[in-house]
Amino acid sequence: MDKQELALAVIERLKKEYPLAECTLDYQDAWQLLVSVRLAAQCTDARVDMVTPKLYEKFPTVAALAAADVGEIEEIVRPCGLGPSKARDISACMKVLHEKYDDRVPETFEELLALPGVGRKSANLVMGDVFGKPAIVTDTHCIRLCNLIGLVDGIKEPAKVEKELWKIIPPEEGSDLCHRFVHHGRAVCVARRPDCPHCCLKDICRHAQEAGI
């Protein structure tokens, strides 16, 4: 089968395996998702979800975070690593939301990308999860699984993987598929020790076939 047929087969099988396609970060509002995804860089979602309640308890709104001292933000988010840069980005981002967007998160991809500390992954996550628009989040799970399965060929750069996936994945399926890649990457296709014999994709996955499984 070609890559588009493979993509459709992967989508259908992962839908059955993981009926609930949901973000693994806890958040209530769009601005909180922006904060969480910035903190998640080189940090586990579980640790982020332990830290953010403390941050929001002290700074419960966009306006409060925008007015907060960067040092106070850093003190709270330090367990997520890269505290200084993450605190600066969060502070700068909330200031823009407060001053330019009346405490709301903009709904276009271009405006999201222009926010401090927001890259394509973050912007796509917000577009898909918050606004229900076509999105592909090329996080580490997505990139690794797509290369193993054979949806892309030896491409590791997130933007390039995203570009290739847009060619073969129906727009309305992208966001949910990326969430399912995260679930599958944690439950079965674990980095360095994938459980190929128990994988629902083993008969169509390039890695499993090359391994003779």
Side-chain angles (χ1 to χ4, degrees):
M1 64 177 74
D2 63 24
K3 281 183 169 54
Q4 191 166 35
E5 293 171 329
L6 176 60
L8 293 176
V10 169
I11 288 168
E12 291 310 308
R13 293 193 188 190
L14 291 184
K15 276 184 180 180
K16 293 179 181 177
E17 199 75 9
Y18 310 98
L20 293 178
E22 53 191 10
C23 181
T24 53
L25 290 165
D26 291 337
Y27 69 96
Q28 296 295 322
D29 301 298
W31 67 270
Q32 293 180 345
L33 181 56
L34 282 177
V35 170
S36 289
V37 74
R38 180 65 187 95
L39 292 177
Q42 300 183 42
C43 180
T44 65
D45 290 356
R47 182 174 293 276
V48 171
D49 289 341
M50 292 173 61
V51 167
T52 49
K54 300 174 184 176
L55 184 66
Y56 303 147
E57 181 179 3
K58 188 164 187 177
F59 307 111
T61 64
V62 171
L65 257 183
D69 181 86
V70 176
E72 290 186 89
I73 298 174
E74 181 185 344
E75 184 177 346
I76 297 172
V77 304
R78 187 177 294 118
C80 294
L82 305 175
S85 62
K86 290 181 178 180
R88 285 194 302 269
D89 284 345
I90 289 169
S91 176
C93 183
M94 294 303 112
K95 280 181 167 63
V96 174
L97 293 186
H98 181 60
E99 296 168 4
K100 185 175 180 178
Y101 295 104
D102 194 27
D103 294 357
R104 293 191 296 269
V105 174
E107 297 187 26
T108 71
F109 194 77
E110 292 72 23
E111 287 176 304
L112 285 167
L113 276 182
L115 294 172
V118 176
R120 295 190 67 87
K121 183 179 80 170
S122 303
N124 270 302
L125 186 61
V126 172
M127 290 295 286
D129 275 42
V130 176
F131 301 124
K133 297 180 181 180
I136 292 177
V137 181
T138 49
D139 63 4
T140 55
H141 289 288
C142 175
I143 294 170
R144 181 171 58 83
L145 268 64
C146 284
N147 276 281
L148 287 174
I149 294 167
L151 295 174
V152 300
D153 302 313
I155 305 174
K156 300 299 174 66
E157 298 89 341
K160 292 182 179 179
V161 172
E162 181 188 337
K163 181 179 178 180
E164 292 304 306
L165 291 181
W166 278 121
K167 299 176 183 177
I168 59 175
I169 293 175
E172 68 276 9
E173 298 287 356
S175 181
D176 285 351
L177 176 61
C178 292
H179 286 319
R180 292 187 172 104
F181 277 149
V182 173
H183 294 313
H184 194 60
R186 292 177 176 178
V188 179
C189 193
V190 182
R192 292 182 295 278
R193 50 183 178 88
D195 188 9
C196 296
H198 297 98
C199 179
C200 63
L201 305 174
K202 63 182 178 182
D203 61 312
I204 58 174
C205 171
R206 178 169 60 192
H207 173 74
Q209 291 174 345
E210 290 177 349
I213 295 171

